[in-house]
């Protein structure tokens, strides 16, 4: 997946196909700031 820039205070949209079940952490690259956990079943 390609990296994309995001702007403060602006919505960001991302589309992908999930093929591997599990729980994945989503964070801002390099910040270590956890945004959410994504569960794929």
């Amino acid at each position: 997946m390609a990296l994309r820039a995001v702007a403060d205070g602006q919505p960001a949209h991302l589309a992908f196909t999930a093929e591997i079940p599990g729980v994945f952490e989503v964070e801002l690259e390099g910040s270590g700031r956890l945004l959410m956990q994504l569960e794929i079943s």
Side-chain angles (χ1 to χ4, degrees), residues 15-33:
F16 61 94
T17 301
E19 297 177 346
I20 302 171
V23 177
F24 304 90
E25 292 185 345
V26 178
E27 66 180 40
L28 293 175
E29 184 69 27
S31 74
R33 181 176 172 191

Side-chain angles (χ1 to χ4, degrees), residues 3-41:
L3 295 178
R4 301 178 113 178
V6 295
D8 288 343
Q10 298 297 315
H13 300 271
L14 174 69
F16 61 94
T17 301
E19 297 177 346
I20 302 171
V23 177
F24 304 90
E25 292 185 345
V26 178
E27 66 180 40
L28 293 175
E29 184 69 27
S31 74
R33 181 176 172 191
L34 181 64
L35 299 178
M36 68 176 168
Q37 287 187 321
L38 179 63
E39 183 175 357
I40 307 299
S41 56

